[in-house]
Amino acid sequence: MNALRQDRTTGQWAVIAPGRGKRPSDLAASAGAVAPLPPKDPSCPFCPGNENMLPRIIEEAAREAVPGWATRVVPNKYPILQRSESVPADCLEAGYGEHEVVIISPSHYLDIPDLTGADMQALTDTWFRRFAALQALPGIEDVVLFCNRGSTAGASLAHAHSQVIGMPIRSPHIVAALAWSAAYHRDCGRCVICDELAREEASEDRVVELGESFAVLVPFAARGPFEQWIVPRRHSPHFLDAGTQERKDLAGVVQRALQRLVAAVGRVPYNIVVEPGSRHVEEASYAHWAIRIVPEVTIPGGFELQSDIIVNPYSPEDNAESLRQAR
Ligand SMILES: [Zn+2]
Ligand SMILES: [Zn+2]
């Protein structure tokens, strides 16, 4: 039987309708699996040797014991937001901001699940470094860090990369999430995500991995198949509050989550989004950062567009079981 579930940490609704789902192994075929790539592409600006196609290089993380870079950060050639001196008359704010691309690896064909442990660590270290750099710029209110993999997940270039955008306004999504957490904190005196984590860890139904620093869960009201939610187990208001051990552990946790996804359903398109929490001290008691890995394998229809209630054709409990078993 279908179930209407509300995410207790965001207020968002989902209809869990498992009867409508295909077998997990059919998902990659129906969603359009990310095609295998050659080791190098002469027309790809992210491949080494094609630096003349890049606006400039912002920074590179060196590889340990091997020559070359592990990650390279460049300005986005077609930025969503950029530095701008003038505000057009019909705009509330200038499109001011920063938009950087973090190239995940010099190899054209590698994705996050394929990186070595050291290169994966270099990637998450770069995420923390670039997030901090953009957050520190004058006029930046919120930073959005994400990864689009596969054209249906919004990636315009096949060479794996993630993106960091500094915005001159607060993200409406973050503002809404914080308002929900604030209301819960006002009523109960506790952080809604800490409470959800305690409930999920006790029941274990949707727990995929429980480590020292992080829990990986399929959300109770997952808004799509095989969504994974990576949550720091310590109450931690902002992404940049992650401590030394958490920063070390995050690399492995994100990589294992994606490796499980590949083992369970194949190389499907996906998004990774960092939900940064809040750096404002007054919001620290109820903000709690997290990362979501969202496979882009279903297309919203009219019901979803009109109601903002997503129909998930898979049971979160079954998905958690498949991900736990996936090797
Ligand atoms: Zn390339
Ligand atoms: Zn918390």
Side-chain angles (χ1 to χ4, degrees), residues 100-136:
E100 297 182 349
V101 174
V102 179
I103 305 167
I104 278 170
S105 156
S107 301
H108 186 73
Y109 68 113
L110 294 183
D111 190 13
I112 289 176
D114 315 312
L115 299 180
T116 65
D119 287 351
M120 186 65 211
Q121 189 69 59
L123 174 62
T124 48
D125 287 349
T126 305
W127 285 351
F128 282 112
R129 210 165 45 246
R130 297 320 303 166
F131 197 110
L134 295 199
Q135 186 78 85

Side-chain angles (χ1 to χ4, degrees), residues 5-122:
R5 292 186 180 180
Q6 187 174 32
D7 189 318
R8 292 172 289 232
T9 66
T10 62
Q12 288 184 311
W13 290 90
V15 177
I16 309 298
R20 299 168 67 90
K22 296 183 170 63
R23 285 179 305 167
S25 55
D26 295 337
L27 262 185
S30 63
V34 177
L37 297 167
K40 209 169 158 46
D41 177 349
S43 66
C44 170
F46 297 165
C47 278
N50 298 340
E51 286 75 11
N52 60 335
M53 299 180 200
L54 297 171
R56 69 190 168 93
I57 294 168
I58 296 170
E59 64 142 88
E60 288 174 351
R63 270 189 154 140
E64 276 174 35
V66 238
W69 47 273
T71 62
R72 174 183 268 176
V73 182
V74 301
N76 193 306
K77 205 170 175 181
Y78 304 103
I80 293 174
L81 296 172
Q82 60 196 312
R83 285 179 188 275
S84 153
E85 297 303 322
S86 58
V87 184
D90 57 350
C91 286
L92 198 56
E93 293 268 355
Y96 171 82
E98 291 287 336
H99 190 167
E100 297 182 349
V101 174
V102 179
I103 305 167
I104 278 170
S105 156
S107 301
H108 186 73
Y109 68 113
L110 294 183
D111 190 13
I112 289 176
D114 315 312
L115 299 180
T116 65
D119 287 351
M120 186 65 211
Q121 189 69 59

Side-chain angles (χ1 to χ4, degrees), residues 191-195 234-236 285-288:
C191 161
V192 68
I193 291 181
C194 283
D195 272 11
R234 175 178 74 91
H235 177 73
S236 186
S285 51
Y286 54 83
H288 191 137

